[in-house]
Amino acid sequence: MNIHKNAKLTPSGRALIMERYLAGNAPSAIATSLGVSVVTVYKWLRRFREEGEAGLTDRSSRPHHLQTTESPGQVEQIKQLRKQRLPLWRIAAKVGLSLATVARRCRALGLNRLPPLNPPEEVVRYE
């Protein structure tokens, strides 16, 4: 992780909290000396108790999983209705999803534009 220049606590600062706590200092005194809140000190103490040294490192803010709002049956229904050249707002009303969700799914399926839905017409040339 990249730590910005004004960060109050880096992994070494969090280790300093543990050292001072294990040396017998009160959490309020540790918080005052490091310029953080008492709640922050207790948070890092709890993480250290639960996870050990690994709990003092930075964590990713990325979500563990993303919510999917549509079922596979709804995706198939969107696909079939779009191939019938229905507008996105009408598909959204029929399927029961938001317009943004239907538009996102159609774009993922490659069905967001109507001209690609029609096969190219053959050129008839007379000789």
Side-chain angles (χ1 to χ4, degrees), residues 3-127:
I3 298 180
H4 60 87
K5 65 178 182 174
N6 295 326
K8 289 278 186 179
L9 290 177
T10 60
S12 60
R14 298 169 199 150
L16 183 62
I17 289 175
M18 297 311 121
E19 290 173 14
R20 290 184 180 180
Y21 182 75
L22 296 175
N25 293 335
S28 59
I30 297 170
T32 305
S33 67
L34 293 177
V36 295
S37 68
V38 179
V39 175
T40 301
V41 172
Y42 278 115
K43 174 181 74 172
W44 291 110
L45 290 172
R46 178 184 49 79
R47 284 194 189 178
F48 182 74
R49 263 187 260 112
E50 291 174 357
E51 302 174 30
E53 289 287 328
L56 301 179
T57 59
D58 289 330
R59 295 180 178 173
S60 173
S61 59
R62 183 173 181 250
H64 295 292
H65 58 84
L66 299 175
Q67 178 183 4
T68 56
T69 57
E70 64 273 358
S71 67
Q74 287 175 320
V75 172
E76 187 60 34
Q77 191 177 4
I78 291 170
K79 190 175 181 181
Q80 295 304 320
L81 291 172
R82 188 61 176 165
K83 286 187 177 181
Q84 294 173 13
R85 301 183 61 79
L86 289 178
L88 297 179
W89 63 270
R90 187 163 289 159
I91 295 171
K94 284 189 176 198
V95 178
L97 296 171
S98 73
L99 177 61
T101 302
V102 172
R104 187 172 44 252
R105 184 54 56 198
C106 284
R107 187 172 46 249
L109 294 170
L111 301 174
N112 55 333
R113 303 223 180 247
L114 288 177
L117 293 175
N118 295 334
E121 295 180 18
E122 289 187 24
V123 178
V124 180
R125 295 196 173 119
Y126 295 101
E127 290 187 17

